Amino acid sequence: MANTYTLIASNTLSSSAASVIFSAIPNTYTDLVLKMSVKTSSTSATGDLYVQINSATSTYSYTRIYGAGGGGYGSDRSAGDFPALYSSNVNGNSSVVTNVFANVEFYIPSYAGNKNKVASQFSAQERNDSLAYIESYAHSTDITAAISSLKIEGNGTNLVSGSSFFLYGIKNS
Amino acid sequence: MPATYEPIATTTLSTAASTITFSSIPATYTDLRVVFVGQGTFTQSALLRFNNDTGTNYSTTQLQGDGGAVYSQRQTNNNNISMVQIPNNGGTANNTFGMVFFEIFSYAGSTNKTVLGGDAGDTNGSGNINRIVGLWRNTSAINEITITTGGASTYVAGTTATLYGIKAA
């Protein structure tokens, strides 16, 4: 039986970049998995990360649970506040996290179907400080078209050198 | 490189149904993963049972966020692994199928069976996110998995569940 968890494309940055784009994604898989080891050029300890589908600024929403160590935990929600799938608390480039990258994974089921596109996300930013986070997101959108491109970028910041991005396709037959 | 992540079976409902069953699961993998994408006739759990065991041999611990607060709950001596949810097919969720996943570790081994699971049930201003750990206190190899609403609700047509096998080598 064929292996059906297949690398579609990858990109490891040799220099800072404003974004990484996976385009011409074939519609021959069932689900997509986007994994990344990433840090932004934000001068803060943490930075935002966007994953935009098909260059669409449609309605993206999420429900999130997070833990920040100690007594810091919670759940929040956004409905239409961001122009892409949103992930907060990705590592910034401040000195405390010089050589630490965040781990982020998106699972996008039925990406080639005609339903609204949804995603499950798990990310972690352990940094040996009080600003480390662990988060899970449930994302939904009003995008019904098949996903043909994914654009990963910061919120007005760059993705720093050494950040790596991997897009996998999974077939269910 | 050997294939280590393989689809074993997939079911897409052509009409509404309350149960999806994977049977005759081979014992040749290391772990199993179920990916369920669908909708219920109301916000509905996806209850998990193994080998058609309806006894009170299951337990679940849940972490849930509803967009405003975090909760944790536990069910012990239950007759299923539960507490993940999919959206209903009304209102803003009309065209949004939720996602549920379960990973079942060492399913063919001789120890009690453990499960890690969750859902993605955001529906643009409502919905939940859940993460669960489950236990089936049975040492038999798992050869059948049933996903059910457990009640009067049904999963709508178009709901799809896929069972994958993962090999360690």
Side-chain angles (χ1 to χ4, degrees):
Chain A
M1 188 177 289
N3 191 2
T4 61
Y5 196 129
T6 305
L7 180 66
I8 298 173
S10 66
N11 190 339
T12 298
L13 296 178
S14 57
S15 61
S16 179
S19 65
V20 167
I21 300 175
F22 293 118
S23 58
I25 298 170
N27 62 5
T28 51
Y29 299 93
T30 309
D31 303 333
L32 296 176
V33 178
L34 176 62
K35 295 174 181 277
M36 61 188 89
S37 173
V38 62
K39 185 163 65 169
T40 76
S41 63
S42 168
T43 55
S44 301
T46 62
D48 298 338
L49 187 79
Y50 293 156
V51 177
Q52 192 171 65
I53 297 171
N54 295 355
S55 301
T57 56
S58 309
T59 300
Y60 296 84
S61 61
Y62 69 76
T63 304
R64 173 177 69 151
I65 49 177
Y66 62 90
Y73 58 87
S75 176
D76 58 11
R77 167 174 293 138
S78 167
D81 298 327
F82 299 100
L85 302 177
Y86 169 79
S87 179
S88 70
N89 301 309
V90 172
N91 289 5
N93 205 28
S94 66
S95 59
V96 70
V97 288
T98 297
N99 199 30
V100 180
F101 290 68
N103 299 316
V104 182
E105 177 180 304
F106 289 86
Y107 193 103
I108 306 173
S110 303
Y111 74 101
N114 59 8
K115 297 290 185 184
N116 292 332
K117 300 302 175 289
V118 302
S120 175
Q121 180 198 341
F122 182 55
S123 53
Q125 298 85 237
E126 174 53 43
R127 304 133 43 100
N128 191 36
D129 69 8
S130 60
L131 292 173
Y133 274 84
I134 182 168
E135 304 178 309
S136 277
Y137 290 76
H139 294 278
S140 68
T141 77
D142 63 354
I143 298 169
T144 56
I147 295 176
S148 58
S149 72
L150 294 170
K151 179 182 182 183
I152 304 122
E153 60 185 340
N155 179 11
T157 59
N158 283 338
L159 307 169
V160 306
S161 176
S163 295
S164 55
F165 307 85
F166 301 88
L167 179 65
Y168 298 90
I170 297 176
K171 288 183 180 177
N172 68 2
S173 61
Chain B
M1 184 178 293
T4 59
Y5 192 105
E6 300 174 347
I8 297 172
T10 188
T11 297
T12 299
L13 296 179
S14 57
T15 59
S18 60
T19 299
I20 293 175
T21 299
F22 296 112
S23 56
S24 302
I25 299 170
T28 52
Y29 297 93
T30 308
D31 303 325
L32 299 175
R33 178 176 171 89
V34 176
V35 177
F36 178 99
V37 182
Q39 220 175 45
T41 48
F42 55 85
T43 300
Q44 184 62 59
S45 292
L47 311 179
L48 197 63
R49 291 195 180 104
F50 301 124
N51 294 5
N52 199 30
D53 178 12
T54 58
T56 55
N57 301 310
Y58 304 85
S59 56
T60 309
T61 299
Q62 173 207 40
L63 179 66
Q64 180 188 68
D66 66 0
V70 175
Y71 309 90
S72 182
Q73 304 173 72
R74 174 171 293 138
Q75 291 180 341
T76 58
N77 299 317
N78 203 26
N79 63 7
N80 56 65
I81 291 172
S82 64
M83 296 197 281
V84 294
Q85 295 180 321
I86 62 169
N88 65 29
N89 63 346
T92 57
N94 190 41
N95 197 40
T96 302
F97 276 14
M99 172 187 169
V100 171
F101 63 90
F102 299 105
E103 296 185 359
I104 306 157
F105 304 102
S106 301
Y107 73 101
S110 57
T111 58
N112 292 329
K113 304 304 180 292
T114 55
V115 175
L116 185 64
D119 61 37
D122 182 86
T123 53
N124 188 25
S126 61
N128 296 314
I129 181 169
N130 293 281
R131 294 291 181 264
I132 65 105
V133 290
L135 172 67
W136 181 42
R137 300 190 308 281
N138 193 301
T139 58
S140 301
I142 293 173
N143 55 41
E144 182 175 290
I145 296 173
T146 301
I147 306 165
T148 178
T149 64
S153 175
T154 56
Y155 302 126
V156 304
T159 294
T160 297
T162 301
L163 175 66
Y164 296 93
I166 301 172
K167 289 181 179 177

